[in-house]
Amino acid sequence: PGRAFNVGSEEAVSIGDLGRTIGDLFGAQPIIEGKTMAGAAPSVYVPRTIRAQADLGLRAWTGLHEGIEKTSLFNRTFAPSVGRAR
């Protein structure tokens, strides 16, 4: 049977920070609703990629900002109608 591998970056990014990064790139800041409880750490997901690194030689080499820019360019180029009203 196959094996599952976590891929991505082991750099923690909160949903709020992700929204602000996307907003900076596209010139529109997100509206963040809801509040974090005082003293509570923000919810984040950080994939443990050690198996992918060891077994497949994978490394994170594209940062978050650059990755979002490249994904946006790809979608505008190869999937221009995705997400547009019909």
Side-chain angles (χ1 to χ4, degrees), residues 5-12 44-50 53:
F5 292 92
N6 288 326
V7 296
S9 169
E10 291 192 2
E11 180 180 335
V44 295
Y45 171 72
V46 181
R48 184 171 159 80
T49 62
I50 192 79
Q53 292 174 26

Side-chain angles (χ1 to χ4, degrees), residues 46-69:
V46 181
R48 184 171 159 80
T49 62
I50 192 79
R51 184 188 307 164
Q53 292 174 26
D55 293 1
L56 305 175
L58 294 181
R59 301 280 183 270
W61 53 275
T62 302
L64 178 63
H65 193 273
E66 182 184 0
I68 293 168
E69 284 181 316

Side-chain angles (χ1 to χ4, degrees), residues 11-85:
E11 180 180 335
V13 179
S14 73
I15 295 299
D17 288 341
L18 177 60
R20 284 184 283 277
T21 298
I22 293 169
D24 289 344
L25 282 167
F26 296 100
Q29 288 305 305
I31 297 170
I32 300 174
E33 297 181 353
K35 305 275 184 214
T36 301
M37 291 177 29
S43 295
V44 295
Y45 171 72
V46 181
R48 184 171 159 80
T49 62
I50 192 79
R51 184 188 307 164
Q53 292 174 26
D55 293 1
L56 305 175
L58 294 181
R59 301 280 183 270
W61 53 275
T62 302
L64 178 63
H65 193 273
E66 182 184 0
I68 293 168
E69 284 181 316
K70 286 183 171 186
T71 299
S72 175
L73 176 61
F74 177 88
N75 286 326
R76 287 191 316 267
T77 303
F78 296 104
S81 64
V82 173
R84 292 193 181 151

